[in-house]
Amino acid sequence: MLLRMSSLFVRTLREDPAEAEVASHRLLVRAGYVRRAAPGIYTWLPLGLRVLRNVERVVREEMDAIGGQEVLFPALLPREPYEATGRWTEYGDGIFRLKDRKQGDYLLAPTHEEVFTLLVKDLYSSYKDLPLMAYQVQTKYRDEARPRAGLLRGREFVMKDAYSFDVDDAGLERSYARQREAYLRVFARLGLEVVAVKAMSGAMGGSMSEEFLHPTPVGEDTFVRSPGGYAANVEAVTTPVPDAVPLEGLPAAHVEDTPGTPTIETLVAHLQAEHPREDRPWTGADTLKNVLVVVVHPDGRREPLAVGLPGDREVDTTRLEAALAPATVAPFEAADFAAHPEVVKGYLGPGVLGPNAPLGEDGERAPSTIRYLLDPRVVDGTRWVTGADADGHHVLDLVAGRDFTADGVVEAAEVRAGDPAPDGSGPLELARGMEMGHIFALGRRYAEALGLTVLDENGKQVVVTMGSYGIGVSRALAAIAEAGADDKGLVWPAAVAPAQVHVVAAGKGEDVVAYAEQLSSDLVAAGLDVLLDDRPKTSPGVKFKDAELLGMPYVVRVGRRLADGVVELEDRRTGEVAEVPVGGSTTGAVLAAVRGEGRETHEAAAVVGDGS
Amino acid sequence: MLLRMSSLFVRTLREDPAEAEVASHRLLVRAGYVRRAAPGIYTWLPLGLRVLRNVERVVREEMDAIGGQEVLFPALLPREPYEATGRWTEYGDGIFRLKDRKQGDYLLAPTHEEVFTLLVKDLYSSYKDLPLMAYQVQTKYRDEARPRAGLLRGREFVMKDAYSFDVDDAGLERSYARQREAYLRVFARLGLEVVAVKAMSGAMGGSMSEEFLHPTPVGEDTFVRSPGGYAANVEAVTTPVPDAVPLEGLPAAHVEDTPGTPTIETLVAHLQAEHPREDRPWTGADTLKNVLVVVVHPDGRREPLAVGLPGDREVDTTRLEAALAPATVAPFEAADFAAHPEVVKGYLGPGVLGPNAPLGEDGERAPSTIRYLLDPRVVDGTRWVTGADADGHHVLDLVAGRDFTADGVVEAAEVRAGDPAPDGSGPLELARGMEMGHIFALGRRYAEALGLTVLDENGKQVVVTMGSYGIGVSRALAAIAEAGADDKGLVWPAAVAPAQVHVVAAGKGEDVVAYAEQLSSDLVAAGLDVLLDDRPKTSPGVKFKDAELLGMPYVVRVGRRLADGVVELEDRRTGEVAEVPVGGSTTGAVLAAVRGEGRETHEAAAVVGDGS
């Protein structure tokens, strides 16, 4: 296809848009690929739409290659199926809800597990119908609290979501593996580096899940990896649990006067001064910090919670929320303190928490109303310095499993660089990433909630097991833009570029215009998409600037050197320029560059040049 | 592409779905092309999605051919632009509105004039940037009061909407004509008969508009056409206005006792008995009927209105609403009668309406509060029998323009077969049609409301003039299904069929299966899409029934006759079967049939058969 700059619906801007936070957003707007219609809601201009369609095509081809069958669900869906699985409530403020003229409840679907399940239930009834892999490329909606970074976190966006239906766990494993491989092929073809990391299933439910994170400083997710190949997002990192210590022979707990030590830092300093250890200095890791939060359940119920963890670590709210999903976490505020007079700020200990019944003023024990969860490091037999629930007092040698217990264990402590990988594969390093895809072995949650069963080989009804597999298509486009961009503008890989070649008629001479036209139609005839800058009154300088901003992978400059029988072929990414002699082989040289991509090709082009 | 029935995500049903009203809906559901997700909201299964994509492709190709540039707007849009043009209110209950988490007002766009206008305003500033023709194929939403007939009137549906932007009226005329021609080509390629009829612009605004109606008994629109080529939907039909009659010498009006004549029928009978005419019998057309309604304005304001028209015609609410748009019409009810004691039921005359001030009880005149509009036939000098605003009394020889006037003229009377075409091209006939497309020369309404101007050649700001052009893509698919269907199932034209050929392996013999597979891959290699029924345990009878229901245009039966070296090639539409010898030329024969379409091709296939 031939696109002409003279009539193309585009306008390049020299100024960055005010709201742009990241390079991809800034450049996609400046280069006229997208325009903002509302916060997190974008309009695709012709060049942007071409890239979007190219990304979609790659995704479709890989879905088709693993037997995926394309369908298309509505975006506007009734409440009932989402009510049946509990997600109508679980999504909280995160989805768009509306009513129709008959006051029926609808939502703009953020994902389609429920209705895919119902569709299969509607059509299929036997194990012979399975396995089934179906997918759609469809517009999705989320009412993000903070839509940001242009297409990277939008409120209306394009997603590919696929769903697998199998009769047993082995089938689900195969489907999951097939999708996983397809995802790696998709991202490879898109030129997007990704790391597959272990993830939490969160609101989706299910047993196993991986995220495909694109490492980038603008990513919103933190993930970890080890030299031995372990990778996970921080929510999914599990803490290696130390062996329990025998309780026999441990010193008795003793309360000490520790005036003015409401923080870990002041406490450690006090211990060091007043109770020095013989073997080594005190550290925050010797103390047990008890952090209060309020758990907000999807139905709005608020529940006080204390998390006990080594004092040298903070609670990571993202990890805590992932552990408590679908509940969320809110701060423990003045009103909450007022409702819990047993809490002494700065000196909170296990004594008033969870199963460790507090002593009332009359000396009687009464059950605590604050749930208590412990970090996995707090195993039985470990000794701690922690609050004595009295101002200016701590208790030393308080032993877990002897002096206190909890309601359970929670992975809520921050993960730090250098922490050991749970699989023993070495120390973790932390990196920023952006979620490009997410795959879930859902299991039977949705099928059970919605009654999707089939008859198995023995004529018995069995619940179908499902997987769900998503790729953020418009987000992938933005990530490609972000990864490729340089200080001059966008740089597209040929696989998704709006056109592979940008032919610039750099001059007003009839021969320049005629040759640019001729070369463009030859390249189109050879199967390429070409953007021809044929604007008659625009200077070569402006055209070159626009070509840099627009980012086609190859730029052919037809200009002054045409008189010498030469055009220039620039690799937009490397900036390398090859001279290509004009003639029958010019098209071939450009084709070789586009198809080969990279340095070798330029050399080939040069060789073609030399040889003609 | 090769589709296999053995794994295709489809289930054919023998029973009609309960909610199906029309053949297309019934068959598309039974054949597994679509499933209902909610009233007026459908899911596309693989076969249905393939047809939808084919229809979209035809539309895109014709839009591209007239220089249309594809873009893609969001469906979720903020209130403000629609507020600026008044349509946020005008749409009434007809659109889906919602709020985001910050209580911002949004809608699911039913059409995109506003945001297209704003986008062009955002990017363009000079006459040199115009003309511009841009389009999108996009999902639209309308909260229909009565979603019906499956995809024919949905609440979520696929539409192609295009918009033209020109600097002057001549440009708009050219753009409009170009779209009009493209529309005729689109419908011709889709095999859909359409009639381009004059239409009202309605809520869209603008000066000129045509609908492309597909004549069908299941259509919701009534349109008229004349032998001389006039065509219009009933809303747009104008009444030829008779010449005014000189007032001189006309008899004076006189009130007569007409007891028990509250209807036109009883009145005509009374007149015939008590006041016989010499020249001809009295008819309803001699009487002036005054019909009361309540006009409901978009802001909710209710206004009483009387329509005066010849007594032999009813008010057509559709025409009246089109004339009053964006207001709608509600019945004049008991409470309204109570508020207007001057109205004497059954004997209402112009005397208490509009500018014909009523006589109060004290003999004084007071202004009427009921607006009064007249049918165009009620020209000055025409004489009428009409209500005398007193029970059991009518006035005779009441002369328009002498004895009464009105606030204006309105096209609200029903149009009847035999009425003269407004352009003198003969008597009108009435037909049912379904709106497939609608094109509007919008003019400057949107550009003015949203401030879209460009600098013209003389450096002066001029308001841009626009056109808007829509095709119901999913509706067109349903209309194609409706038009093609027979008592056995769907019949698709090759241009949009999910596959052009359905190869049925009718038997379990290895040779049958092997040949069906071989032929299918040969056909795919030759560029066709093929649906292969390779289900190993399904009987030939069930496969043939399914092939009829699914409706691929050509069915190749590989079965018992294979032993004789012959397969059968059926034209699904005509039911004709040609025998094609097995061998190198089989693929060619099928290709010839598909590409030629129709009877000649079958003969060609037979010839190929004879000759090999």
Side-chain angles (χ1 to χ4, degrees):
Chain A
M1 187 165 191
L2 179 60
L3 305 167
R4 290 177 178 277
M5 280 296 284
S6 60
S7 55
L8 189 66
F9 186 30
V10 68
R11 173 76 7 124
T12 56
L13 309 173
R14 296 287 163 246
E15 301 293 320
D16 286 338
E19 81 277 11
E21 299 165 23
V22 296
S24 59
H25 185 196
R26 198 165 62 234
L27 290 171
L28 287 168
V29 171
R30 273 188 50 202
Y33 282 66
V34 301
R35 298 295 283 183
R36 198 177 82 137
I41 302 178
Y42 286 82
T43 299
W44 298 88
L45 291 170
L47 290 177
L49 186 59
R50 289 181 66 85
V51 183
L52 183 67
R53 296 291 186 237
N54 286 338
V55 176
E56 290 176 0
R57 182 176 40 69
V58 169
V59 171
R60 281 197 173 94
E61 285 171 4
E62 295 300 337
M63 287 295 110
D64 292 343
I66 57 167
Q69 303 197 44
E70 190 174 356
V71 299
L72 183 61
F73 275 86
L76 181 63
L77 287 171
R79 169 181 181 154
E80 290 72 21
Y82 290 84
E83 188 72 48
T85 59
R87 294 210 294 182
W88 175 265
T89 309
E90 282 173 22
Y91 271 117
D93 283 343
I95 57 171
F96 291 102
R97 296 180 178 81
L98 66 158
K99 287 184 187 290
D100 73 358
R101 61 161 72 208
K102 292 178 177 165
Q103 297 305 307
D105 280 318
Y106 286 78
L107 55 77
L108 297 180
T111 174
H112 281 71
E113 280 74 13
E114 284 81 355
V115 285
F116 253 95
T117 307
L118 287 174
L119 179 64
V120 175
K121 180 184 178 183
D122 195 13
L123 296 182
Y124 280 175
S125 57
S126 161
Y127 74 97
K128 291 181 218 161
D129 299 323
L130 304 183
L132 170 70
M133 182 93 81
Y135 76 96
Q136 61 178 345
V137 177
Q138 197 252 2
T139 304
K140 297 229 168 349
Y141 296 87
R142 291 195 190 152
D143 195 359
E144 295 285 351
R146 286 168 295 279
R148 68 178 278 276
L151 302 167
L152 289 175
R153 183 168 290 278
R155 298 199 295 170
E156 173 173 323
F157 53 95
V158 179
M159 215 174 115
K160 183 285 299 177
D161 44 330
Y163 303 85
S164 67
F165 299 85
D166 282 277
V167 75
D168 56 24
D169 293 346
L172 172 56
E173 269 175 45
R174 277 191 299 274
S175 297
Y176 183 94
R178 219 165 272 155
Q179 282 283 348
R180 191 180 194 282
E181 285 155 26
Y183 272 46
L184 294 174
R185 282 192 297 273
V186 164
F187 295 119
R189 288 180 62 185
L190 296 179
L192 259 186
E193 181 199 352
V194 292
V195 181
V197 306
K198 289 187 180 49
M200 302 282 284
S201 301
M204 302 291 296
S207 59
M208 176 170 54
S209 142
E210 283 168 286
E211 276 179 12
F212 294 81
L213 293 181
H214 170 60
T216 166
V218 304
E220 292 186 306
D221 295 314
T222 305
F223 70 100
V224 301
R225 40 186 169 184
S226 76
Y230 175 83
N233 67 20
V234 286
E235 295 93 317
V237 174
T238 52
T239 306
V241 180
D243 291 334
V245 178
L247 300 177
E248 290 80 47
L250 294 176
H254 45 107
V255 173
E256 299 291 343
D257 212 13
T258 57
T261 59
T263 65
I264 298 299
E265 202 171 45
T266 51
L267 175 60
V268 168
H270 177 90
L271 292 170
Q272 196 59 25
E274 304 294 327
H275 308 271
R277 288 177 67 129
E278 287 178 7
D279 53 344
R280 57 170 177 80
W282 289 96
T283 73
D286 299 315
T287 68
L288 178 68
K289 174 159 71 177
N290 298 290
V291 177
L292 290 168
V293 296
V294 174
V295 179
V296 182
H297 292 275
D299 59 7
R301 193 163 47 87
R302 294 169 60 88
E303 181 201 18
L305 172 72
V307 175
L309 74 169
D312 62 334
R313 292 191 187 250
E314 301 300 325
V315 166
D316 178 334
T317 308
T318 308
R319 276 169 59 76
L320 179 57
E321 289 199 325
L324 300 172
T328 57
V329 168
F332 199 87
E333 292 177 335
D336 302 302
F337 280 107
H340 292 280
E342 73 273 26
V343 171
V344 180
K345 276 197 212 182
Y347 299 92
L348 177 60
V352 298
L353 301 171
N356 313 296
L359 281 171
E361 279 179 16
D362 55 359
E364 300 267 312
R365 290 187 182 272
S368 164
T369 56
I370 302 179
R371 185 151 67 111
Y372 190 38
L373 298 175
L374 284 172
D375 184 81
R377 295 169 187 84
V378 189
V379 293
D380 282 1
T382 49
R383 286 194 283 167
W384 302 94
V385 179
T386 189
D389 301 309
D391 194 56
H393 289 79
H394 280 85
V395 54
L396 278 69
D397 290 323
L398 196 75
V399 173
R402 183 190 73 181
D403 302 326
F404 68 102
T405 60
D407 297 304
V409 172
V410 69
E411 289 282 4
E414 59 180 324
V415 176
R416 293 200 201 129
D419 283 350
D423 63 355
S425 60
L428 298 176
E429 66 163 13
L430 270 69
R432 301 290 287 170
M434 187 191 304
E435 184 184 337
M436 291 289 111
H438 204 156
I439 58 178
F440 298 90
L442 292 177
R444 299 179 173 81
R445 167 180 173 180
Y446 293 91
E448 266 163 9
L450 297 162
L452 170 57
T453 62
V454 292
L455 286 178
D456 72 5
E457 287 181 69
N458 309 312
K460 219 183 68 185
Q461 292 285 355
V462 295
V463 177
V464 169
T465 182
M466 292 168 54
S468 147
Y469 315 94
I471 289 180
V473 173
S474 40
R475 181 185 283 186
L477 179 151
I480 296 166
E482 187 78 29
D486 61 21
D487 55 354
K488 297 178 202 146
L490 295 164
V491 186
W492 296 109
V496 300
Q500 291 93 46
V501 182
H502 192 147
V503 176
V504 178
K508 294 178 189 176
E510 267 179 43
D511 51 340
V512 165
V513 173
Y515 186 74
E517 290 276 352
Q518 183 59 51
L519 178 62
S520 298
S521 24
D522 290 350
L523 291 170
V524 168
L528 294 188
D529 291 323
V530 175
L531 175 60
L532 168 62
D533 198 340
D534 59 344
R535 290 175 292 178
K537 296 187 176 170
T538 306
S539 73
V542 169
K543 288 183 177 181
F544 294 147
K545 279 268 178 224
D546 277 345
E548 285 172 344
L549 178 59
L550 293 171
M552 303 312 123
Y554 293 91
V555 180
V556 179
R557 303 182 197 147
V558 181
R560 269 175 302 195
R561 298 291 316 281
L562 189 64
D564 312 324
V566 167
V567 297
E568 290 168 319
L569 171 60
E570 183 191 354
D571 181 323
R572 171 67 184 85
R573 186 171 59 78
T574 63
E576 286 173 44
V577 178
E579 297 204 333
V580 182
V582 168
S585 61
T586 318
T587 307
V590 176
L591 278 174
V594 172
R595 294 194 177 143
E597 283 224 61
R599 177 145 183 83
E600 307 75 32
T601 323
H602 279 296
E603 284 162 2
V607 170
V608 170
D610 292 344
S612 70
Chain B
M1 186 167 194
L2 179 61
L3 306 167
R4 292 176 177 276
M5 279 298 283
S6 60
S7 56
L8 189 66
F9 187 31
V10 69
R11 174 74 7 123
T12 57
L13 309 173
R14 297 287 163 245
E15 302 292 321
D16 286 338
E19 80 278 10
E21 298 165 25
V22 297
S24 59
H25 185 196
R26 198 164 64 235
L27 291 171
L28 287 169
V29 172
R30 273 188 51 202
Y33 281 66
V34 300
R35 298 294 285 181
R36 199 177 82 138
I41 302 177
Y42 287 81
T43 299
W44 297 88
L45 291 169
L47 290 177
L49 186 58
R50 289 181 66 85
V51 183
L52 183 67
R53 296 289 186 237
N54 286 338
V55 176
E56 289 175 0
R57 183 177 38 72
V58 169
V59 171
R60 280 196 174 95
E61 285 171 4
E62 295 299 339
M63 286 296 109
D64 292 343
I66 58 168
Q69 303 197 47
E70 191 173 356
V71 300
L72 183 61
F73 275 86
L76 181 63
L77 287 172
R79 168 180 181 155
E80 290 71 22
Y82 290 84
E83 188 73 48
T85 59
R87 295 211 293 183
W88 175 265
T89 309
E90 282 173 23
Y91 272 116
D93 283 344
I95 56 172
F96 291 102
R97 296 181 179 80
L98 65 158
K99 285 184 187 292
D100 72 358
R101 61 161 72 209
K102 292 179 176 164
Q103 298 304 308
D105 280 316
Y106 286 79
L107 55 77
L108 296 180
T111 175
H112 282 71
E113 279 74 13
E114 284 83 353
V115 285
F116 254 96
T117 306
L118 287 175
L119 179 64
V120 175
K121 179 183 177 183
D122 195 12
L123 296 183
Y124 280 176
S125 57
S126 160
Y127 74 97
K128 291 182 218 160
D129 298 323
L130 304 182
L132 170 69
M133 181 94 78
Y135 75 97
Q136 60 177 346
V137 177
Q138 195 253 3
T139 303
K140 298 233 170 344
Y141 297 85
R142 291 194 189 153
D143 195 359
E144 294 284 350
R146 285 168 295 279
R148 67 178 280 276
L151 303 168
L152 289 175
R153 181 168 290 278
R155 298 199 294 169
E156 174 172 323
F157 53 95
V158 179
M159 215 173 116
K160 183 285 301 177
D161 45 329
Y163 302 84
S164 67
F165 299 84
D166 282 278
V167 76
D168 56 25
D169 294 345
L172 172 56
E173 268 174 47
R174 276 192 300 275
S175 298
Y176 183 96
R178 220 166 270 154
Q179 283 282 349
R180 191 179 194 281
E181 284 155 28
Y183 272 45
L184 294 174
R185 282 192 297 273
V186 164
F187 295 119
R189 287 180 62 184
L190 297 177
L192 260 187
E193 183 199 350
V194 291
V195 181
V197 307
K198 289 186 178 52
M200 302 282 285
S201 301
M204 303 290 296
S207 59
M208 176 169 55
S209 144
E210 284 169 284
E211 276 179 14
F212 294 80
L213 294 180
H214 169 60
T216 166
V218 305
E220 292 186 306
D221 295 314
T222 305
F223 70 99
V224 300
R225 39 186 167 184
S226 77
Y230 176 82
N233 68 18
V234 287
E235 294 93 318
V237 174
T238 51
T239 306
V241 180
D243 290 335
V245 178
L247 299 177
E248 290 80 47
L250 294 175
H254 44 108
V255 173
E256 300 290 342
D257 212 13
T258 56
T261 59
T263 65
I264 298 300
E265 202 171 46
T266 51
L267 175 61
V268 168
H270 176 90
L271 292 170
Q272 195 59 25
E274 304 294 327
H275 306 273
R277 288 177 67 128
E278 285 176 9
D279 52 345
R280 57 170 176 81
W282 289 96
T283 73
D286 298 315
T287 68
L288 179 68
K289 177 159 69 178
N290 297 292
V291 177
L292 290 168
V293 296
V294 174
V295 179
V296 183
H297 292 275
D299 60 7
R301 192 165 48 89
R302 295 168 60 88
E303 179 201 20
L305 172 72
V307 176
L309 74 169
D312 61 334
R313 293 189 186 250
E314 301 300 326
V315 167
D316 179 334
T317 308
T318 308
R319 277 169 58 77
L320 179 56
E321 288 199 326
L324 299 173
T328 58
V329 168
F332 198 88
E333 292 176 336
D336 302 303
F337 280 108
H340 291 281
E342 72 274 25
V343 172
V344 180
K345 276 197 211 181
Y347 300 91
L348 175 62
V352 298
L353 301 170
N356 314 296
L359 281 171
E361 279 177 17
D362 55 358
E364 300 268 313
R365 290 186 181 273
S368 166
T369 56
I370 303 179
R371 186 153 66 113
Y372 190 37
L373 297 175
L374 284 172
D375 184 80
R377 294 168 189 86
V378 189
V379 292
D380 282 0
T382 49
R383 286 194 282 167
W384 302 93
V385 179
T386 189
D389 300 310
D391 194 54
H393 288 79
H394 281 87
V395 54
L396 280 67
D397 291 323
L398 195 76
V399 172
R402 183 190 73 183
D403 303 325
F404 68 101
T405 59
D407 296 304
V409 173
V410 70
E411 288 283 3
E414 58 179 325
V415 176
R416 292 199 201 131
D419 282 351
D423 63 355
S425 60
L428 298 174
E429 66 164 13
L430 269 69
R432 301 290 286 172
M434 188 191 302
E435 185 183 336
M436 291 291 109
H438 204 154
I439 58 178
F440 298 89
L442 292 177
R444 299 180 173 80
R445 169 181 170 179
Y446 294 90
E448 265 162 10
L450 297 162
L452 169 57
T453 62
V454 293
L455 286 179
D456 72 5
E457 289 180 70
N458 308 313
K460 219 183 69 186
Q461 292 285 354
V462 293
V463 178
V464 169
T465 182
M466 292 169 54
S468 147
Y469 316 93
I471 289 180
V473 173
S474 41
R475 180 184 283 184
L477 179 152
I480 295 166
E482 187 78 28
D486 60 22
D487 54 354
K488 297 177 201 145
L490 295 164
V491 186
W492 295 110
V496 300
Q500 291 92 48
V501 182
H502 192 146
V503 175
V504 177
K508 295 178 188 176
E510 268 180 41
D511 51 340
V512 165
V513 173
Y515 186 74
E517 290 276 354
Q518 184 57 52
L519 178 61
S520 298
S521 23
D522 290 350
L523 291 170
V524 169
L528 294 188
D529 292 323
V530 175
L531 176 60
L532 167 63
D533 198 341
D534 58 345
R535 290 175 292 179
K537 294 186 178 172
T538 305
S539 74
V542 168
K543 288 182 178 180
F544 294 148
K545 281 266 179 229
D546 277 346
E548 284 173 346
L549 178 60
L550 293 171
M552 303 313 124
Y554 294 92
V555 181
V556 179
R557 303 181 197 148
V558 181
R560 269 173 303 195
R561 297 293 316 281
L562 189 64
D564 311 325
V566 166
V567 297
E568 291 168 320
L569 172 61
E570 184 191 353
D571 180 323
R572 172 67 184 84
R573 186 170 60 78
T574 63
E576 286 172 44
V577 178
E579 297 202 332
V580 182
V582 168
S585 60
T586 318
T587 308
V590 175
L591 279 174
V594 172
R595 294 196 176 142
E597 283 226 64
R599 176 141 185 82
E600 309 73 32
T601 324
H602 280 296
E603 284 161 1
V607 170
V608 170
D610 293 344
S612 70

